[in-house]
Amino acid sequence: MATATATRVGVTTAEEVNPVSGSARLAPGELKLMVKAILDAEPGEEFTATAISHLLQGRSIGAIQNNLARLAKEERAVQTCDRPRRYRSAKHTA
């Protein structure tokens, strides 16, 4: 028996909206991709979680920080400063 699966594209239900921020819920791993895209768009620029949260309005600073730490652990980003924690893309060559 085949089972049908639905994709999230174009579907917004009350369950898929964050009740606090009002923004759409993201699929697993989607925030990490968004954070990585911001870093890669400006490979020489350093970003804090706060700066990225301003670009991704409605997203948790803590969740962004967790994703930045994961990207650094995976060597897809580099932590350039401890206080405040700043990150840049691992694609930066200088």
Side-chain angles (χ1 to χ4, degrees), residues 26 28-36 39 49 52 60-74 76-77 87:
L26 299 175
E30 198 170 351
L31 181 61
K32 186 166 124 178
L33 293 175
M34 293 168 74
V35 170
K36 179 76 170 119
L39 294 177
I52 292 175
S60 161
I61 294 173
I64 291 168
Q65 180 60 49
N66 291 341
N67 281 285
L68 286 167
R70 282 189 199 110
L71 288 167
K73 186 176 180 179
E74 296 169 0
R76 296 170 70 196
Y87 296 84

